[in-house]
PDB file of all heavy atoms in Angstrom:
ATOM      1  N   ALA X 298      -4.451  -3.380 -11.646  1.00 97.00           N
ATOM      2  CA  ALA X 298      -3.793  -3.612 -10.362  1.00 97.00           C
ATOM      3  C   ALA X 298      -4.476  -2.605  -9.371  1.00 97.00           C
ATOM      4  O   ALA X 298      -5.074  -1.576  -9.730  1.00 97.00           O
ATOM      5  CB  ALA X 298      -2.312  -3.206 -10.449  1.00 97.00           C
ATOM      6  N   VAL X 299      -4.486  -3.028  -8.143  1.00 98.00           N
ATOM      7  CA  VAL X 299      -5.118  -2.153  -7.085  1.00 98.00           C
ATOM      8  C   VAL X 299      -4.064  -1.801  -6.063  1.00 98.00           C
ATOM      9  O   VAL X 299      -3.254  -2.612  -5.615  1.00 98.00           O
ATOM     10  CB  VAL X 299      -6.265  -2.948  -6.384  1.00 98.00           C
ATOM     11  CG1 VAL X 299      -6.817  -2.128  -5.239  1.00 98.00           C
ATOM     12  CG2 VAL X 299      -7.390  -3.197  -7.443  1.00 98.00           C
ATOM     13  N   GLY X 300      -4.120  -0.507  -5.647  1.00 98.00           N
ATOM     14  CA  GLY X 300      -3.253  -0.106  -4.551  1.00 98.00           C
ATOM     15  C   GLY X 300      -4.071   0.486  -3.451  1.00 98.00           C
ATOM     16  O   GLY X 300      -5.116   1.029  -3.655  1.00 98.00           O
ATOM     17  N   TRP X 301      -3.488   0.417  -2.306  1.00 98.00           N
ATOM     18  CA  TRP X 301      -4.035   1.159  -1.138  1.00 98.00           C
ATOM     19  C   TRP X 301      -3.053   2.250  -0.688  1.00 98.00           C
ATOM     20  O   TRP X 301      -1.837   1.941  -0.598  1.00 98.00           O
ATOM     21  CB  TRP X 301      -4.316   0.192   0.069  1.00 98.00           C
ATOM     22  CG  TRP X 301      -5.530  -0.651  -0.073  1.00 98.00           C
ATOM     23  CD1 TRP X 301      -5.598  -1.940  -0.534  1.00 98.00           C
ATOM     24  CD2 TRP X 301      -6.842  -0.294   0.238  1.00 98.00           C
ATOM     25  NE1 TRP X 301      -6.901  -2.377  -0.521  1.00 98.00           N
ATOM     26  CE2 TRP X 301      -7.671  -1.350  -0.029  1.00 98.00           C
ATOM     27  CE3 TRP X 301      -7.468   0.871   0.745  1.00 98.00           C
ATOM     28  CZ2 TRP X 301      -9.084  -1.314   0.131  1.00 98.00           C
ATOM     29  CZ3 TRP X 301      -8.853   0.906   0.975  1.00 98.00           C
ATOM     30  CH2 TRP X 301      -9.624  -0.204   0.650  1.00 98.00           C
ATOM     31  N   PHE X 302      -3.555   3.407  -0.448  1.00 98.00           N
ATOM     32  CA  PHE X 302      -2.738   4.475   0.040  1.00 98.00           C
ATOM     33  C   PHE X 302      -3.412   5.042   1.293  1.00 98.00           C
ATOM     34  O   PHE X 302      -4.567   4.761   1.566  1.00 98.00           O
ATOM     35  CB  PHE X 302      -2.635   5.594  -1.020  1.00 98.00           C
ATOM     36  CG  PHE X 302      -1.819   5.226  -2.255  1.00 98.00           C
ATOM     37  CD1 PHE X 302      -2.309   4.306  -3.181  1.00 98.00           C
ATOM     38  CD2 PHE X 302      -0.563   5.727  -2.417  1.00 98.00           C
ATOM     39  CE1 PHE X 302      -1.599   3.975  -4.335  1.00 98.00           C
ATOM     40  CE2 PHE X 302       0.215   5.355  -3.477  1.00 98.00           C
ATOM     41  CZ  PHE X 302      -0.299   4.519  -4.427  1.00 98.00           C
ATOM     42  N   ARG X 303      -2.667   5.859   2.045  1.00 98.00           N
ATOM     43  CA  ARG X 303      -3.248   6.499   3.140  1.00 98.00           C
ATOM     44  C   ARG X 303      -2.702   7.945   3.331  1.00 98.00           C
ATOM     45  O   ARG X 303      -1.574   8.233   2.844  1.00 98.00           O
ATOM     46  CB  ARG X 303      -2.981   5.737   4.431  1.00 98.00           C
ATOM     47  CG  ARG X 303      -1.515   5.647   4.921  1.00 98.00           C
ATOM     48  CD  ARG X 303      -1.390   4.700   6.085  1.00 98.00           C
ATOM     49  NE  ARG X 303       0.008   4.662   6.545  1.00 98.00           N
ATOM     50  CZ  ARG X 303       0.422   3.758   7.497  1.00 98.00           C
ATOM     51  NH1 ARG X 303      -0.474   2.936   8.031  1.00 98.00           N
ATOM     52  NH2 ARG X 303       1.673   3.784   7.837  1.00 98.00           N
ATOM     53  N   GLN X 304      -3.488   8.771   3.947  1.00 98.00           N
ATOM     54  CA  GLN X 304      -3.100  10.177   4.113  1.00 98.00           C
ATOM     55  C   GLN X 304      -3.507  10.583   5.511  1.00 98.00           C
ATOM     56  O   GLN X 304      -4.697  10.612   5.817  1.00 98.00           O
ATOM     57  CB  GLN X 304      -3.714  11.116   3.103  1.00 98.00           C
ATOM     58  CG  GLN X 304      -3.138  12.484   3.088  1.00 98.00           C
ATOM     59  CD  GLN X 304      -3.533  13.236   1.816  1.00 98.00           C
ATOM     60  OE1 GLN X 304      -4.417  12.861   1.118  1.00 98.00           O
ATOM     61  NE2 GLN X 304      -2.769  14.303   1.569  1.00 98.00           N
ATOM     62  N   ALA X 305      -2.504  10.951   6.326  1.00 97.00           N
ATOM     63  CA  ALA X 305      -2.736  11.494   7.658  1.00 97.00           C
ATOM     64  C   ALA X 305      -2.840  12.984   7.602  1.00 97.00           C
ATOM     65  O   ALA X 305      -2.257  13.583   6.673  1.00 97.00           O
ATOM     66  CB  ALA X 305      -1.659  11.048   8.615  1.00 97.00           C
ATOM     67  N   PRO X 306      -3.440  13.655   8.574  1.00 93.00           N
ATOM     68  CA  PRO X 306      -3.539  15.091   8.542  1.00 93.00           C
ATOM     69  C   PRO X 306      -2.145  15.781   8.437  1.00 93.00           C
ATOM     70  O   PRO X 306      -1.265  15.445   9.170  1.00 93.00           O
ATOM     71  CB  PRO X 306      -4.227  15.414   9.864  1.00 93.00           C
ATOM     72  CG  PRO X 306      -5.055  14.217  10.181  1.00 93.00           C
ATOM     73  CD  PRO X 306      -4.198  13.053   9.727  1.00 93.00           C
ATOM     74  N   GLY X 307      -2.078  16.732   7.527  1.00 95.00           N
ATOM     75  CA  GLY X 307      -0.820  17.415   7.380  1.00 95.00           C
ATOM     76  C   GLY X 307       0.271  16.690   6.674  1.00 95.00           C
ATOM     77  O   GLY X 307       1.454  17.180   6.559  1.00 95.00           O
ATOM     78  N   LYS X 308      -0.013  15.458   6.198  1.00 97.00           N
ATOM     79  CA  LYS X 308       1.006  14.654   5.514  1.00 97.00           C
ATOM     80  C   LYS X 308       0.649  14.335   4.120  1.00 97.00           C
ATOM     81  O   LYS X 308      -0.573  14.425   3.712  1.00 97.00           O
ATOM     82  CB  LYS X 308       1.284  13.376   6.330  1.00 97.00           C
ATOM     83  CG  LYS X 308       1.839  13.590   7.700  1.00 97.00           C
ATOM     84  CD  LYS X 308       2.312  12.312   8.321  1.00 97.00           C
ATOM     85  CE  LYS X 308       2.928  12.524   9.688  1.00 97.00           C
ATOM     86  NZ  LYS X 308       3.406  11.209  10.272  1.00 97.00           N
ATOM     87  N   GLU X 309       1.615  13.979   3.324  1.00 97.00           N
ATOM     88  CA  GLU X 309       1.300  13.567   1.975  1.00 97.00           C
ATOM     89  C   GLU X 309       0.713  12.157   1.928  1.00 97.00           C
ATOM     90  O   GLU X 309       0.883  11.386   2.864  1.00 97.00           O
ATOM     91  CB  GLU X 309       2.604  13.582   1.157  1.00 97.00           C
ATOM     92  CG  GLU X 309       3.165  15.003   0.879  1.00 97.00           C
ATOM     93  CD  GLU X 309       4.292  14.974  -0.111  1.00 97.00           C
ATOM     94  OE1 GLU X 309       4.771  13.901  -0.425  1.00 97.00           O
ATOM     95  OE2 GLU X 309       4.759  16.054  -0.428  1.00 97.00           O
ATOM     96  N   ARG X 310       0.009  11.904   0.869  1.00 98.00           N
ATOM     97  CA  ARG X 310      -0.564  10.524   0.652  1.00 98.00           C
ATOM     98  C   ARG X 310       0.556   9.596   0.417  1.00 98.00           C
ATOM     99  O   ARG X 310       1.507   9.841  -0.332  1.00 98.00           O
ATOM    100  CB  ARG X 310      -1.508  10.584  -0.571  1.00 98.00           C
ATOM    101  CG  ARG X 310      -2.382   9.374  -0.669  1.00 98.00           C
ATOM    102  CD  ARG X 310      -3.531   9.561  -1.697  1.00 98.00           C
ATOM    103  NE  ARG X 310      -4.370  10.676  -1.308  1.00 98.00           N
ATOM    104  CZ  ARG X 310      -5.511  10.914  -1.898  1.00 98.00           C
ATOM    105  NH1 ARG X 310      -5.899  10.177  -2.999  1.00 98.00           N
ATOM    106  NH2 ARG X 310      -6.263  11.920  -1.611  1.00 98.00           N
ATOM    107  N   GLU X 311       0.537   8.445   1.079  1.00 98.00           N
ATOM    108  CA  GLU X 311       1.616   7.495   0.988  1.00 98.00           C
ATOM    109  C   GLU X 311       1.159   6.097   0.668  1.00 98.00           C
ATOM    110  O   GLU X 311      -0.010   5.688   1.011  1.00 98.00           O
ATOM    111  CB  GLU X 311       2.370   7.473   2.339  1.00 98.00           C
ATOM    112  CG  GLU X 311       1.619   6.915   3.474  1.00 98.00           C
ATOM    113  CD  GLU X 311       2.481   6.746   4.762  1.00 98.00           C
ATOM    114  OE1 GLU X 311       3.628   7.127   4.762  1.00 98.00           O
ATOM    115  OE2 GLU X 311       1.941   6.218   5.781  1.00 98.00           O
ATOM    116  N   PHE X 312       2.003   5.392   0.034  1.00 98.00           N
ATOM    117  CA  PHE X 312       1.689   4.005  -0.463  1.00 98.00           C
ATOM    118  C   PHE X 312       1.589   3.079   0.759  1.00 98.00           C
ATOM    119  O   PHE X 312       2.441   3.188   1.714  1.00 98.00           O
ATOM    120  CB  PHE X 312       2.811   3.564  -1.362  1.00 98.00           C
ATOM    121  CG  PHE X 312       2.801   2.105  -1.731  1.00 98.00           C
ATOM    122  CD1 PHE X 312       1.878   1.649  -2.663  1.00 98.00           C
ATOM    123  CD2 PHE X 312       3.624   1.223  -1.078  1.00 98.00           C
ATOM    124  CE1 PHE X 312       1.852   0.289  -2.973  1.00 98.00           C
ATOM    125  CE2 PHE X 312       3.608  -0.132  -1.444  1.00 98.00           C
ATOM    126  CZ  PHE X 312       2.742  -0.596  -2.388  1.00 98.00           C
ATOM    127  N   VAL X 313       0.690   2.193   0.694  1.00 98.00           N
ATOM    128  CA  VAL X 313       0.509   1.147   1.735  1.00 98.00           C
ATOM    129  C   VAL X 313       0.749  -0.260   1.152  1.00 98.00           C
ATOM    130  O   VAL X 313       1.612  -1.012   1.685  1.00 98.00           O
ATOM    131  CB  VAL X 313      -0.895   1.259   2.380  1.00 98.00           C
ATOM    132  CG1 VAL X 313      -1.125   0.103   3.361  1.00 98.00           C
ATOM    133  CG2 VAL X 313      -1.104   2.604   3.063  1.00 98.00           C
ATOM    134  N   ALA X 314       0.016  -0.601   0.089  1.00 98.00           N
ATOM    135  CA  ALA X 314       0.111  -1.935  -0.468  1.00 98.00           C
ATOM    136  C   ALA X 314      -0.422  -1.934  -1.858  1.00 98.00           C
ATOM    137  O   ALA X 314      -1.201  -1.083  -2.226  1.00 98.00           O
ATOM    138  CB  ALA X 314      -0.667  -2.929   0.404  1.00 98.00           C
ATOM    139  N   ALA X 315      -0.034  -2.931  -2.628  1.00 98.00           N
ATOM    140  CA  ALA X 315      -0.589  -3.079  -3.981  1.00 98.00           C
ATOM    141  C   ALA X 315      -0.666  -4.525  -4.312  1.00 98.00           C
ATOM    142  O   ALA X 315       0.046  -5.394  -3.735  1.00 98.00           O
ATOM    143  CB  ALA X 315       0.403  -2.365  -5.012  1.00 98.00           C
ATOM    144  N   ILE X 316      -1.529  -4.851  -5.310  1.00 97.00           N
ATOM    145  CA  ILE X 316      -1.777  -6.245  -5.712  1.00 97.00           C
ATOM    146  C   ILE X 316      -1.937  -6.282  -7.193  1.00 97.00           C
ATOM    147  O   ILE X 316      -2.540  -5.399  -7.804  1.00 97.00           O
ATOM    148  CB  ILE X 316      -2.979  -6.811  -4.917  1.00 97.00           C
ATOM    149  CG1 ILE X 316      -3.108  -8.285  -5.168  1.00 97.00           C
ATOM    150  CG2 ILE X 316      -4.253  -6.084  -5.289  1.00 97.00           C
ATOM    151  CD1 ILE X 316      -4.074  -8.991  -4.156  1.00 97.00           C
ATOM    152  N   SER X 317      -1.444  -7.344  -7.778  1.00 97.00           N
ATOM    153  CA  SER X 317      -1.519  -7.477  -9.263  1.00 97.00           C
ATOM    154  C   SER X 317      -2.883  -7.908  -9.673  1.00 97.00           C
ATOM    155  O   SER X 317      -3.747  -8.173  -8.871  1.00 97.00           O
ATOM    156  CB  SER X 317      -0.528  -8.530  -9.681  1.00 97.00           C
ATOM    157  OG  SER X 317      -0.878  -9.803  -9.115  1.00 97.00           O
ATOM    158  N   ARG X 318      -3.147  -7.974 -10.982  1.00 96.00           N
ATOM    159  CA  ARG X 318      -4.468  -8.329 -11.514  1.00 96.00           C
ATOM    160  C   ARG X 318      -5.005  -9.604 -10.999  1.00 96.00           C
ATOM    161  O   ARG X 318      -6.151  -9.788 -10.642  1.00 96.00           O
ATOM    162  CB  ARG X 318      -4.446  -8.285 -13.035  1.00 96.00           C
ATOM    163  CG  ARG X 318      -4.138  -6.941 -13.638  1.00 96.00           C
ATOM    164  CD  ARG X 318      -4.086  -7.017 -15.118  1.00 96.00           C
ATOM    165  NE  ARG X 318      -3.054  -7.977 -15.636  1.00 96.00           N
ATOM    166  CZ  ARG X 318      -2.720  -8.121 -16.888  1.00 96.00           C
ATOM    167  NH1 ARG X 318      -3.349  -7.376 -17.778  1.00 96.00           N
ATOM    168  NH2 ARG X 318      -1.795  -8.963 -17.180  1.00 96.00           N
ATOM    169  N   SER X 319      -4.096 -10.573 -11.004  1.00 95.00           N
ATOM    170  CA  SER X 319      -4.496 -11.952 -10.625  1.00 95.00           C
ATOM    171  C   SER X 319      -4.514 -12.125  -9.135  1.00 95.00           C
ATOM    172  O   SER X 319      -5.106 -13.074  -8.563  1.00 95.00           O
ATOM    173  CB  SER X 319      -3.401 -12.974 -11.172  1.00 95.00           C
ATOM    174  OG  SER X 319      -2.133 -12.711 -10.568  1.00 95.00           O
ATOM    175  N   GLY X 320      -3.891 -11.232  -8.359  1.00 96.00           N
ATOM    176  CA  GLY X 320      -3.794 -11.340  -6.946  1.00 96.00           C
ATOM    177  C   GLY X 320      -2.596 -12.226  -6.456  1.00 96.00           C
ATOM    178  O   GLY X 320      -2.383 -12.351  -5.274  1.00 96.00           O
ATOM    179  N   LEU X 321      -1.822 -12.640  -7.424  1.00 96.00           N
ATOM    180  CA  LEU X 321      -0.690 -13.554  -7.048  1.00 96.00           C
ATOM    181  C   LEU X 321       0.517 -12.782  -6.506  1.00 96.00           C
ATOM    182  O   LEU X 321       1.434 -13.270  -5.865  1.00 96.00           O
ATOM    183  CB  LEU X 321      -0.306 -14.388  -8.207  1.00 96.00           C
ATOM    184  CG  LEU X 321      -1.340 -15.403  -8.632  1.00 96.00           C
ATOM    185  CD1 LEU X 321      -0.851 -16.178  -9.886  1.00 96.00           C
ATOM    186  CD2 LEU X 321      -1.676 -16.384  -7.529  1.00 96.00           C
ATOM    187  N   LYS X 322       0.621 -11.449  -6.899  1.00 96.00           N
ATOM    188  CA  LYS X 322       1.778 -10.646  -6.528  1.00 96.00           C
ATOM    189  C   LYS X 322       1.339  -9.467  -5.675  1.00 96.00           C
ATOM    190  O   LYS X 322       0.345  -8.747  -6.010  1.00 96.00           O
ATOM    191  CB  LYS X 322       2.523 -10.174  -7.774  1.00 96.00           C
ATOM    192  CG  LYS X 322       3.116 -11.301  -8.604  1.00 96.00           C
ATOM    193  CD  LYS X 322       3.931 -10.765  -9.717  1.00 96.00           C
ATOM    194  CE  LYS X 322       4.546 -11.915 -10.541  1.00 96.00           C
ATOM    195  NZ  LYS X 322       5.332 -11.408 -11.658  1.00 96.00           N
ATOM    196  N   THR X 323       1.960  -9.295  -4.557  1.00 97.00           N
ATOM    197  CA  THR X 323       1.630  -8.213  -3.641  1.00 97.00           C
ATOM    198  C   THR X 323       2.895  -7.473  -3.198  1.00 97.00           C
ATOM    199  O   THR X 323       4.006  -7.998  -3.244  1.00 97.00           O
ATOM    200  CB  THR X 323       0.942  -8.686  -2.407  1.00 97.00           C
ATOM    201  OG1 THR X 323       1.791  -9.687  -1.704  1.00 97.00           O
ATOM    202  CG2 THR X 323      -0.406  -9.343  -2.762  1.00 97.00           C
ATOM    203  N   ASN X 324       2.726  -6.194  -2.770  1.00 96.00           N
ATOM    204  CA  ASN X 324       3.829  -5.393  -2.324  1.00 96.00           C
ATOM    205  C   ASN X 324       3.354  -4.561  -1.187  1.00 96.00           C
ATOM    206  O   ASN X 324       2.162  -4.111  -1.159  1.00 96.00           O
ATOM    207  CB  ASN X 324       4.362  -4.453  -3.478  1.00 96.00           C
ATOM    208  CG  ASN X 324       4.612  -5.189  -4.745  1.00 96.00           C
ATOM    209  OD1 ASN X 324       3.733  -5.356  -5.580  1.00 96.00           O
ATOM    210  ND2 ASN X 324       5.804  -5.733  -4.833  1.00 96.00           N
ATOM    211  N   TYR X 325       4.229  -4.300  -0.245  1.00 98.00           N
ATOM    212  CA  TYR X 325       3.863  -3.531   0.971  1.00 98.00           C
ATOM    213  C   TYR X 325       4.934  -2.462   1.292  1.00 98.00           C
ATOM    214  O   TYR X 325       6.053  -2.643   1.065  1.00 98.00           O
ATOM    215  CB  TYR X 325       3.749  -4.486   2.114  1.00 98.00           C
ATOM    216  CG  TYR X 325       2.665  -5.541   1.973  1.00 98.00           C
ATOM    217  CD1 TYR X 325       2.915  -6.762   1.439  1.00 98.00           C
ATOM    218  CD2 TYR X 325       1.384  -5.272   2.388  1.00 98.00           C
ATOM    219  CE1 TYR X 325       1.950  -7.726   1.322  1.00 98.00           C
ATOM    220  CE2 TYR X 325       0.341  -6.221   2.246  1.00 98.00           C
ATOM    221  CZ  TYR X 325       0.638  -7.442   1.718  1.00 98.00           C
ATOM    222  OH  TYR X 325      -0.364  -8.367   1.531  1.00 98.00           O
ATOM    223  N   ALA X 326       4.431  -1.404   1.935  1.00 98.00           N
ATOM    224  CA  ALA X 326       5.356  -0.413   2.449  1.00 98.00           C
ATOM    225  C   ALA X 326       5.972  -0.990   3.714  1.00 98.00           C
ATOM    226  O   ALA X 326       5.289  -1.806   4.414  1.00 98.00           O
ATOM    227  CB  ALA X 326       4.600   0.840   2.725  1.00 98.00           C
ATOM    228  N   ASP X 327       7.191  -0.619   4.013  1.00 98.00           N
ATOM    229  CA  ASP X 327       7.849  -1.181   5.155  1.00 98.00           C
ATOM    230  C   ASP X 327       7.109  -1.031   6.496  1.00 98.00           C
ATOM    231  O   ASP X 327       7.055  -1.950   7.285  1.00 98.00           O
ATOM    232  CB  ASP X 327       9.257  -0.595   5.296  1.00 98.00           C
ATOM    233  CG  ASP X 327      10.232  -1.121   4.204  1.00 98.00           C
ATOM    234  OD1 ASP X 327       9.884  -2.155   3.625  1.00 98.00           O
ATOM    235  OD2 ASP X 327      11.274  -0.491   4.002  1.00 98.00           O
ATOM    236  N   PRO X 328       6.501   0.117   6.719  1.00 98.00           N
ATOM    237  CA  PRO X 328       5.805   0.307   8.019  1.00 98.00           C
ATOM    238  C   PRO X 328       4.630  -0.664   8.300  1.00 98.00           C
ATOM    239  O   PRO X 328       4.242  -0.891   9.443  1.00 98.00           O
ATOM    240  CB  PRO X 328       5.310   1.700   7.975  1.00 98.00           C
ATOM    241  CG  PRO X 328       6.162   2.445   7.015  1.00 98.00           C
ATOM    242  CD  PRO X 328       6.448   1.371   5.967  1.00 98.00           C
ATOM    243  N   VAL X 329       4.105  -1.305   7.228  1.00 98.00           N
ATOM    244  CA  VAL X 329       2.940  -2.199   7.456  1.00 98.00           C
ATOM    245  C   VAL X 329       3.235  -3.621   7.125  1.00 98.00           C
ATOM    246  O   VAL X 329       2.411  -4.480   7.335  1.00 98.00           O
ATOM    247  CB  VAL X 329       1.768  -1.702   6.552  1.00 98.00           C
ATOM    248  CG1 VAL X 329       1.400  -0.239   6.795  1.00 98.00           C
ATOM    249  CG2 VAL X 329       1.980  -1.981   5.066  1.00 98.00           C
ATOM    250  N   LYS X 330       4.439  -3.908   6.662  1.00 98.00           N
ATOM    251  CA  LYS X 330       4.803  -5.247   6.269  1.00 98.00           C
ATOM    252  C   LYS X 330       4.676  -6.175   7.513  1.00 98.00           C
ATOM    253  O   LYS X 330       5.190  -5.853   8.538  1.00 98.00           O
ATOM    254  CB  LYS X 330       6.240  -5.259   5.740  1.00 98.00           C
ATOM    255  CG  LYS X 330       6.612  -6.348   4.741  1.00 98.00           C
ATOM    256  CD  LYS X 330       7.887  -6.118   4.101  1.00 98.00           C
ATOM    257  CE  LYS X 330       7.870  -5.061   3.121  1.00 98.00           C
ATOM    258  NZ  LYS X 330       9.154  -4.854   2.328  1.00 98.00           N
ATOM    259  N   GLY X 331       4.059  -7.280   7.292  1.00 98.00           N
ATOM    260  CA  GLY X 331       3.843  -8.240   8.387  1.00 98.00           C
ATOM    261  C   GLY X 331       2.670  -7.990   9.261  1.00 98.00           C
ATOM    262  O   GLY X 331       2.208  -8.835  10.022  1.00 98.00           O
ATOM    263  N   ARG X 332       1.991  -6.842   9.041  1.00 98.00           N
ATOM    264  CA  ARG X 332       0.783  -6.487   9.816  1.00 98.00           C
ATOM    265  C   ARG X 332      -0.431  -6.381   8.932  1.00 98.00           C
ATOM    266  O   ARG X 332      -1.549  -6.706   9.307  1.00 98.00           O
ATOM    267  CB  ARG X 332       0.981  -5.159  10.582  1.00 98.00           C
ATOM    268  CG  ARG X 332       2.101  -5.190  11.585  1.00 98.00           C
ATOM    269  CD  ARG X 332       2.127  -3.918  12.412  1.00 98.00           C
ATOM    270  NE  ARG X 332       2.311  -2.738  11.639  1.00 98.00           N
ATOM    271  CZ  ARG X 332       1.463  -1.646  11.571  1.00 98.00           C
ATOM    272  NH1 ARG X 332       0.334  -1.712  12.263  1.00 98.00           N
ATOM    273  NH2 ARG X 332       1.733  -0.603  10.858  1.00 98.00           N
TER     274      ARG X 332
END
């Protein structure tokens, strides 16, 4: 599985999105959902 995370200055690394091995299942953090 692959995940994307991000880290802004002075902040902890946070989850952005993830995708399953096949690519059929995805998950998003609320702040980026729909964008």
Side-chain angles (χ1 to χ4, degrees):
V299 174
W301 284 96
F302 291 75
R303 66 187 182 186
Q304 188 165 18
K308 294 188 176 181
E309 292 188 352
R310 194 169 298 189
E311 64 175 7
F312 171 77
V313 175
I316 189 166
S317 63
R318 295 178 301 187
S319 65
L321 294 178
K322 296 184 179 181
T323 57
N324 308 92
Y325 297 92
D327 287 344
V329 308
K330 204 170 289 185
R332 299 188 297 122

